[in-house]
Amino acid sequence: MPTYQVRGEVPRKRHIQFRDNGTLLTEEVMGLEGFAGNESILYHLISPCRISKLGDFEPIKRDEWVPDAHAHRHFKTIGVKPEGDPISGRKLLMWNADVEISLCRPADEMEGFYRNGEGDEVVFVHEGKGTLETIYGDLPYGEGDYIVIPRGTTYRFRADGPQRHLVFESPGLIEIPRRYRNEYGQLLEHAPFYHRDIHPPTELRTHRDRDEHVVKVRVRDGYQAYLLDYHPFDVVGWDGYVYPWTFNINDFEPITGRIHMPPPSHQTFQGRNFVICSFCPRKLDFDPLAIPIPYHHSNLNSEEMIYYVSGNFGSRRGIEVGSVTLHPSGIPHGPHPGLAEKSIGQTETHELAVMCDTFHPLRLTKLAKKLDDGEYAYSWRDAPAQAQNAASSDEDPAGVTSHF
């Protein structure tokens, strides 16, 4: 969906001679879906095929946890310790054939470069700021940003201070929902964000040094290391529709209705058999008889994962910043007892969360087992006395309620 961009110098037409100080540049078409999808054309000082040495191939190992019971889960992630860099520090929490969802609290800077050769990525920046240095140029990011990185992008993080990321990786394309776009690709007036909210790379930096650099590439369900004798960011210019970009969750414009709006109204991205939604501060339902928090529902053929970013989570007891809830397919879920009554009369919510709904079951890792509170499945029993008292009160000290 991203609009046409150009950085650096490009020739008058495609596939013609283009030289830098007399040297013929190497043209590379970076394309999706063969030659039928979006593409960008990059002009390199050196052939991107050139390598000095093949390194090791490291297969990806996933330590699966198969619970004894099919139940709702609550994973408390805020205490996950920093480890590794922004790539090696990614810790897989759950996955299926369509999407992998990981946590990352990097402790170290990246020494080399990384390229996902088999999937698109969306990195939600819960905490931290910095610059994503890419072959397309520098992409500044900050707290609340979704960093959208198309497959094939060579990059490295340059973090400015501590970081906390939630990472989605998919072998399918990650796109802006089609219902937000017209036939020409422009975002429609009813879309919850606009082109001005999408931020492409800023400055293109062409590196001409001939030092050695390592690029780690994810391919064939593993990581292949390559040693180069030149800097991978040797592009003097590019143009097209494929490049990394950011969108800040605070620029999402929530949709409010007279009665409760279902989760698709919060959709931000679509992937192959999954969606990513942004639950943001907003005004609540305004019908005099409205119940502002969701009705109970059964995920009959989908699974709902929610990552809680900030705020007071009014439809849940025991939820904290960094919590992840998983409501699997086949069983109902909804607000905890007493909280629907408590929500009546509330006019706004100030909480923030990221949701991923998948249409195939999610598998869990042993990290999920370690973070599971073990009690969430029982949390729909009668509310504690203090919650019942709060439900019968006309006051809400926090002034918020939940839309989850």
Side-chain angles (χ1 to χ4, degrees):
M1 200 296 304
T3 55
Y4 174 81
Q5 298 285 325
V6 59
R7 297 290 184 276
E9 299 294 327
V10 297
R12 178 179 58 87
K13 294 193 56 84
R14 298 174 295 171
H15 318 323
I16 64 172
Q17 295 180 40
F18 186 39
R19 296 180 183 274
D20 178 81
N21 294 323
T23 300
L24 184 66
L25 297 177
T26 299
E27 181 185 56
E28 178 190 15
V29 175
M30 189 81 75
L32 304 174
E33 299 180 304
F35 290 91
N38 282 346
E39 68 178 34
S40 286
I41 299 178
L42 297 83
Y43 294 89
H44 295 265
L45 295 168
I46 297 171
S47 167
C49 304
R50 174 175 173 147
I51 62 172
S52 293
K53 184 178 180 180
L54 282 172
D56 295 331
F57 180 83
E58 176 188 353
I60 293 175
K61 297 179 181 179
R62 302 175 181 87
D63 294 324
E64 185 173 6
W65 170 45
V66 181
D68 294 332
H70 186 72
H72 300 311
R73 302 284 171 184
H74 175 201
F75 310 109
K76 296 186 176 183
T77 76
I78 199 69
V80 170
K81 301 298 183 183
E83 183 179 352
D85 63 31
I87 303 301
S88 65
R90 293 177 181 177
K91 299 179 179 181
L92 185 64
L93 188 67
M94 58 188 77
W95 87 100
N96 61 22
D98 302 310
V99 64
E100 296 179 358
I101 304 172
S102 302
L103 310 168
C104 187
R105 292 197 65 201
D108 306 315
E109 287 279 2
M110 290 181 64
E111 294 184 357
F113 300 86
Y114 180 70
R115 181 191 311 145
N116 194 327
E118 61 181 6
D120 287 6
E121 300 180 354
V122 174
V123 179
F124 175 74
V125 182
H126 184 175
E127 298 174 359
K129 62 180 181 177
T131 300
L132 187 75
E133 298 177 345
T134 84
I135 198 169
Y136 298 96
D138 288 350
L139 186 65
Y141 68 87
E143 188 171 299
D145 274 337
Y146 291 106
I147 309 173
V148 183
I149 309 173
R151 72 201 60 216
T153 301
T154 304
Y155 68 85
R156 67 179 174 189
F157 279 91
R158 279 291 176 253
D160 181 5
Q163 310 275 306
R164 186 185 299 271
H165 301 166
L166 176 69
V167 184
F168 302 91
E169 301 175 70
S170 175
L173 298 180
I174 295 177
E175 306 171 296
I176 290 174
R178 290 185 177 88
R179 70 177 185 277
Y180 295 165
R181 301 177 264 144
N182 65 22
E183 61 181 307
Y184 308 105
Q186 185 173 13
L187 287 169
L188 296 165
E189 285 296 304
H190 68 264
F193 46 92
Y194 192 60
H195 298 279
R196 297 173 194 171
D197 301 317
I198 294 172
H199 306 288
T202 54
E203 182 180 0
L204 176 66
R205 300 178 185 272
T206 303
H207 292 260
R208 299 172 181 269
D209 69 83
R210 296 300 300 270
D211 297 329
E212 291 188 334
H213 299 276
V214 175
V215 178
K216 182 166 73 172
V217 182
R218 176 167 173 171
V219 286
R220 299 294 188 268
D221 210 27
Y223 301 105
Q224 175 66 55
Y226 298 93
L227 180 65
L228 311 183
D229 62 355
Y230 62 95
H231 198 292
F233 298 166
D234 69 333
V235 172
V236 302
W238 65 270
D239 72 337
Y241 292 79
V242 176
Y243 50 85
W245 47 278
T246 63
F247 167 73
N248 195 278
I249 193 171
N250 296 298
D251 287 328
F252 187 89
E253 302 300 334
I255 299 171
T256 297
R258 187 167 60 86
I259 56 176
H260 181 69
M261 301 295 291
S265 66
H266 308 285
Q267 186 179 350
T268 310
F269 304 102
Q270 67 180 33
R272 185 184 70 186
N273 298 316
F274 72 95
V275 299
I276 299 173
C277 299
S278 302
F279 292 99
C280 300
R282 67 182 177 94
K283 294 292 184 181
L284 292 170
D285 322 328
F286 52 87
D287 187 276
L289 296 179
I291 300 175
I293 59 176
Y295 35 80
H296 285 65
H297 51 287
S298 293
N299 290 3
L300 295 177
N301 62 345
S302 66
E303 311 234 331
E304 177 192 273
M305 168 270 186
I306 300 178
Y307 179 87
Y308 298 84
V309 179
S310 65
N312 181 10
F313 310 111
S315 68
R316 295 280 178 269
R317 295 193 301 269
I319 296 300
E320 59 190 37
V321 171
S323 285
V324 173
T325 55
L326 176 63
H327 301 137
S329 56
I331 52 178
H333 71 273
H336 282 145
L339 298 181
E341 185 73 43
K342 179 182 177 182
S343 74
I344 294 173
Q346 299 303 317
T347 60
E348 59 185 22
T349 173
H350 298 284
E351 59 205 26
L352 194 65
V354 175
M355 184 184 82
C356 181
D357 262 6
T358 69
F359 298 103
H360 291 126
L362 287 161
R363 301 161 70 178
L364 300 174
T365 63
K366 290 181 180 178
L367 173 63
K369 180 179 181 180
K370 179 180 177 181
L371 301 177
D372 185 27
D373 74 353
E375 297 293 328
Y376 186 63
Y378 303 105
S379 61
W380 280 266
R381 293 181 294 192
D382 290 342
Q386 61 268 29
Q388 292 179 350
N389 292 337
S392 63
S393 172
D394 291 333
E395 298 182 358
D396 181 3
V400 299
T401 190
S402 176
H403 49 253
F404 302 118

